[in-house]
Amino acid sequence: MKLISATPSPYARKVRIQLLEKGVPFELVTEVPWNDDTTVPAYNPLEKLPVLILDDGRALYESAYILEWIERMHPQPALMPSDRDAYLEARQYMVLADGICDAALLLFFERLRAPAHRSEPWMARQLRKVDRGLEALARDIGTRPFAVDDRFTLADISVAAPLGWLKVRAPDIDWSTRHPDLARYYERHSQRESFIKTVPTAQVLRDKVV
Ligand SMILES: N[C@@H](CCC(=O)N[C@@H](CS)C(=O)NCC(=O)O)C(=O)O
């Protein structure tokens, strides 16, 4: 399998961590999805990565779908709880974490606009979602080592994705000072080999996006 990924992408990071945790071999293809020469649109009509290209040539897209596909096709070690309520709790964390990423990316690209073209209300709206999302994560995880069930799940992987991305792409949103327990939670998980191997790094966007 090949995974089209970008070094800062929080969505691709989730999939990379999941594959590493399960020991599923894959070839990492790193692209800048915002540059004109990206191959991503050839595989995903939505033009977004991650894209997982299977050995038979099929291409899977949307990180939530890819996570589910991997979980079903490579069930061991299980990264979702089997208990119904715990499963749904994990899904809620995953949706919240993805929503933080979505708002943070919108904010990031609004900030890339020339100052005269930036919309302050739009940026305030996205920042509010990020802030409130982080508050919800901090409140719900509290001082527990894992988001759900006292064991490592896709919920922890999903929560880590926006936390790591913000450190690289929006360090002014200093969530770790505001939420020290969440910072300790992230720090602990950051010791995992799968996290160390996928630490986000910035990419240069060569072509005009906004
Ligand atoms: N909902 C999508 C979001 C993926 C996404 O926004 N990926 C970014 C990179 S971090 C991308 O490829 N954007 C290119 C574009 O939107 O044109 C997912 O979960 O896979």
Side-chain angles (χ1 to χ4, degrees), residues 1-3 19 50-54 58-60 66 69-70:
M1 293 193 294
K2 285 185 191 174
L3 179 71
L19 289 169
V51 175
L52 187 67
I53 305 172
L54 307 183
R58 274 182 301 151
L60 312 182
I66 300 173
W69 188 91
I70 293 169

Side-chain angles (χ1 to χ4, degrees), residues 11 14-15 18 50-52 54 58-73 91 94 98 154:
Y11 310 99
K14 293 187 297 179
V15 178
Q18 183 192 28
V51 175
L52 187 67
L54 307 183
R58 274 182 301 151
L60 312 182
Y61 47 82
E62 279 294 321
S63 61
Y65 176 67
I66 300 173
L67 295 183
E68 185 184 345
W69 188 91
I70 293 169
E71 208 51 35
R72 285 182 177 247
M73 302 305 272
R91 289 290 295 130
M94 293 161 72
D98 280 0
L154 290 183

